[in-house]
Amino acid sequence: MADREHLYELLCSYDEAEDPLPAFYAVWCQGPEEKEVARRLGADLGSATAARFADCAGIAMNVYGDRAFLAGRAGTWIAVIGDRVCASDAALRVISSGGAKAISMGWGTSGPGVLTYASDGEIITQFKITNPRVRSGADPGALDSYMTGLRFALNDDQEGALGPVEVAESITSSLVLIGRVTGVEISRRWLNASHTLYVIPEGDAG
């Protein structure tokens, strides 16, 4: 069980409250450099400061005032941890424009969200993390080859002895899939390393 939920548990371990991390949104982009990704998200580039995930794990819950996100290199991709807007369809279209690629996932207080893959400003495939059977986009099956051995759909028990899928496994599966796409799975080493915190001034859509 623990192995199938390890990435969800890793992220939740950074929340000091007793409840699991209430929200997490992230997007990975290949093509533009970090500052260009930040610019496309509407950040004030002059606001850049060094930070670790542990210093700003609550930024995904920012619902008023200035917004912020953490950005850093992950292999050949730029990883961004921010809020729901940073991982939205509109943001992915902008981030992936000009021949770039982007992939995002997240969850909030209402539950797991969607996994979205975009390329050259177009949504290629998108599905609910807990129900990948229903997909949309220009090529809904584009990520099929990365999903081997992963389980997403809640209460699915196709393997019998493994037991039904729960939210923690579904979220972990989406992060493993993204790691397969980017070549770098999110890890404690990356989360503990120093990256860059950017501020999106109040009133900017991102």
Side-chain angles (χ1 to χ4, degrees):
M1 178 78 67
D3 288 344
R4 292 185 281 117
E5 301 178 355
H6 67 288
L7 295 180
Y8 174 77
E9 297 295 343
L10 169 64
L11 293 172
C12 287
S13 71
Y14 286 84
D15 186 22
E16 296 181 355
E18 294 182 3
D19 294 332
L21 194 65
F24 176 84
Y25 293 95
V27 56
W28 289 256
C29 179
Q30 185 182 56
E33 292 300 316
E34 179 186 302
K35 287 185 178 180
E36 175 59 15
V37 173
R39 185 194 67 78
R40 294 184 184 191
L41 286 171
D44 171 8
L45 299 184
S47 69
T49 56
R52 301 173 304 142
F53 179 64
D55 300 325
C56 51
I59 59 177
M61 293 299 291
N62 191 341
V63 293
Y64 64 90
D66 293 343
R67 297 167 49 229
F69 59 85
L70 187 69
R73 179 163 293 280
T76 61
W77 294 64
I78 302 299
V80 172
I81 299 177
D83 60 8
R84 179 180 55 79
V85 180
C86 289
S88 66
D89 289 2
L92 260 69
R93 289 190 179 97
V94 172
I95 296 172
S96 68
S97 64
K101 298 178 180 179
I103 188 168
S104 70
M105 61 78 64
W107 75 82
T109 53
S110 59
V114 298
L115 187 149
T116 305
Y117 174 61
S119 178
D120 200 19
E122 182 178 23
I123 302 300
I124 304 302
T125 185
Q126 182 178 70
F127 58 83
K128 290 184 178 180
I129 292 172
T130 55
N131 184 18
R133 296 185 181 93
V134 179
R135 309 179 195 181
S136 59
D139 183 6
L143 299 180
D144 284 359
S145 62
Y146 298 99
M147 300 175 72
T148 303
L150 300 177
R151 304 194 311 165
F152 295 85
L154 293 186
N155 300 316
D156 192 359
D157 192 16
Q158 294 182 1
E159 301 299 326
L162 293 180
V165 177
E166 297 183 359
V167 170
E169 180 178 359
S170 184
I171 289 173
T172 295
S173 290
S174 69
L175 289 166
V176 171
L177 185 158
I178 289 172
R180 293 175 178 178
V181 172
T182 64
V184 181
E185 191 171 280
I186 196 166
S187 65
R188 190 173 297 278
R189 179 178 180 180
W190 191 93
L191 294 169
N192 287 344
S194 179
H195 302 296
T196 309
L197 183 69
Y198 293 93
V199 173
I200 302 175
E202 183 177 9
D204 285 7

